[in-house]
Each structure stands twice: as C-alpha cells, then as structure tokens.
Amino acid sequence: MHPRFLALLAVLLVSAALLGFPARAQDSLYTVPGVHVDAGAASSSEALNAAIMQGRGKAFQILYRRLTRQADWARQPALDANGLLRISRGYTIANERRSTTRYVADVTYMFNPDAVARLLRAANIAYSQSPARRILLIPMSPGVAPGPWANALMSPAFHDSLVPFTVMAAEDDAALAALNFDAATWNDVAAVAVKNHVAEVGLVQAVYAGGKITVNIKRLGAGEAPARSSLDVPLLQTVGTTYPAAALAAVRAIEDLWKIRTALDFSQRGRLTADVRIASLQQWGDIQTQLSGVSNITGVTVTAMDINYARISIAYVGGLDQLRATLAGAGLVLTGRGQGQWMLAGTK
C-alpha cells in the first residue's frame, strides 16, 4: 500500500476517534459551595429536609447569577422544590449541628449541567458554559499604587467569581507607575501579564468626585480591541468605607464584560468552513482534542483531506465573535481570509 495513503488513513482514524461533540461542561462550574442553612421543624429529620430544600434554592440563585448576565437576573426561572430536584445532582454537608427541632450546616450543592442547560434554553436565556481564563486586575486610584483600593479588590468575597482573577502584586507597581488608564494598550501591560501567566488584564480605576466614586474598567487582551465600561457608586460616609461596595460593583462589571462575549444565545446558530494545515499527526490530534473542548461547537465534519491540510465544517451556537473567543480560550486561532474563507491553527 502506498505510504501517502497509509499516512492519510492514519489521519482519518485519528479524526474519527477524536471528534466527539458537544463537550461536557465542567462540573466545577455547576458546584456551589458553602451555602449556610438553618431551619427548624417538629423533628430532627424534618428540620434537615427543610434546611436542604431551603439551601438548594439559594444555591440555584448563586449558580444562575454565575452563568448569566446581570441584565437577565430578573428572568431567573421560578422553580418549586421538585423543579430544583430535577436539576440537582447531589450535595455534601460540613459544619453540621443539629438538635431535636433544628438543623444548621454549610452545604455544597452540585447541579446537573445538562439539566440546567435545558432549563435555560427553554427560557431563552443566554448563559456561559465554561469558566473564564484567569485575568490580572491592576488597581488604579487614579494611578497605579498599593493601598485601600487594591486591598478592597483582594477581598475573599470574590473568590467565587465566574471570572477568576489575580490582583497585581505590590512589587509590580514600580514597573507600571507611569501607566495611563485612557492610553494604555496591551503592550504596556504585556510584561506583567506574562509574569503572572495570564492572557488578559483588567485595569480597574477608582476616581472620587462629586460625592461618588466612579469605577472605570478597561479590559486588555493580546491582539484584541480594548473593552471599556464605567459605573458610579454613591459615597458611603468616606471614600475608604465606600471601597468595598465599589469593588463588588467592579467585579460584577468585569464578569459582565466577559459574559457579553461568552454567554450563548442558543436561538442563534451558524456554520463555517475552515482549512487546517497539518504538519504532523500529533499536531492534527492536538487540534481535534482542543476542538472537542469548545463548549459552543455542536459538530465538526471533515469535508476534505490531503496529506498537508484538512477542510472542516464547524457548526456552532451563539455569534461568530463568541466562537472566536472560545476557540482562543482553547488555544486555537480562527483567521478570516476574505469571502467567507477561514483558517484554523493552534497557538503553539
């Protein structure tokens, strides 16, 4: 048998083995830890059941807000006890205390990703399916400097954020002392981003004026246009005592900046054809594996193949910009060649 044919057959076998869609959402995203419950009833078992049911509703609200944009929080589906059970996978208990009529504990609730997805799709609510990449926050007030504003952004209250972030360390202040919020580009922060092993940076600037704190947020990413937002927080006695509320508002705004790009509207669907250059079977296998982890891809079909390239048809949900963003998160770059033609390549 001709060597070129054997090589091509091997590539096709790798394709058949690795093309499996859709990828399962990460379970950690659908786990809500540390929900405090406290309920009383006529007996210990009834108090336990009441507490677990009470906490499940709280946990679903936390999950719903984790997955959806603030603009959709008022649209949260109203679920009774049976409805909550249908989307649940289980729970674990810690710090349990009970009496004959009272039950107190901290409960971690696990939800079923597929059941939650069906619920939100039926309600036509856009939602994010996978965790964001870690980003670096650079506190500014109005310039880069350590202090109360940076400390407020480091609060443990934000550890459960959908967008995991690291606040810039004090030793990096000197390198960014001249950073200007309005003029800043990725090139200005690339070195500190590499040091912190992140591909995105958020400038978070707090400015006091006129009885309020204005928080300006600027998201910077390699090869991406900056995204900006701004919000006002009324003064609570002093600037220092207002910082925690301003930090909470800032983190919620950062989450929304990310969700705008990633929250999928499942009523919107598309398909495109992309060419992939094949340098080796290993490289092709890596690309297939990366594609299988992209949450908004619903199917991939190999439509043509030769020794040096493959042409694939990608079916996806949501918008094209969202597809490119989630591909980038998986280490893949989708580049337009004009007239509806696309190239897909790994970043390595």
Side-chain angles (χ1 to χ4, degrees), residues 151-209:
N151 294 338
L153 289 169
M154 295 178 187
S155 169
F158 306 136
H159 290 177
D160 192 42
S161 172
L162 175 63
V163 182
F165 61 83
T166 300
V167 177
M168 187 183 70
E171 58 264 28
D172 293 321
D173 289 348
L176 296 175
L179 189 68
N180 180 280
F181 181 91
D182 293 318
T185 67
W186 174 254
N187 290 339
D188 297 314
V189 299
V192 72
V194 170
K195 177 183 175 183
N196 286 273
H197 309 290
V198 299
E200 297 185 20
V201 168
L203 308 184
V204 189
Q205 183 189 56
V207 180
Y208 170 71

Side-chain angles (χ1 to χ4, degrees), residues 4 7 19 30 34 42 66 68 71 100 102 104 122 128 130 157 175 193 197 212 248 334:
R4 284 175 60 87
L19 285 174
Y30 290 81
R66 179 188 294 172
T68 61
T100 56
R102 187 180 177 196
V104 180
S128 300
S130 57
H197 309 290
K212 64 184 179 183
L248 175 60
L334 184 66

Side-chain angles (χ1 to χ4, degrees), residues 200-226:
E200 297 185 20
V201 168
L203 308 184
V204 189
Q205 183 189 56
V207 180
Y208 170 71
K212 64 184 179 183
I213 292 178
T214 298
V215 180
N216 301 309
I217 300 166
K218 189 174 188 179
R219 177 190 162 275
L220 301 172
E224 300 180 26

Side-chain angles (χ1 to χ4, degrees), residues 41 67 91 94 178 182 247 249 262 275 282 344:
L67 300 179
Y91 60 88
D182 293 318
T262 60
D275 290 336
Q282 178 62 49
L344 184 70

Side-chain angles (χ1 to χ4, degrees), residues 36-117:
H36 187 72
V37 298
D38 185 343
S43 68
S44 176
S45 60
E46 289 178 1
L48 166 63
N49 292 334
I52 297 301
M53 183 173 64
Q54 168 200 105
R56 191 176 286 119
K58 294 179 182 178
F60 176 60
Q61 182 181 67
I62 293 170
L63 175 66
Y64 178 80
R65 295 190 174 192
R66 179 188 294 172
L67 300 179
T68 61
R69 298 169 294 193
Q70 288 192 58
D72 290 325
W73 286 1
R75 300 178 57 206
Q76 179 180 332
L79 300 178
D80 59 15
N82 289 332
L84 288 168
L85 275 175
R86 283 193 292 270
I87 64 171
S88 298
R89 176 172 283 174
Y91 60 88
T92 60
I93 294 172
N95 304 321
E96 181 182 55
R97 301 193 305 278
R98 64 167 74 199
S99 69
T100 56
T101 58
R102 187 180 177 196
Y103 185 87
V104 180
D106 296 318
V107 184
T108 293
Y109 291 89
M110 288 77 77
F111 291 90
N112 185 312
D114 295 330
V116 173

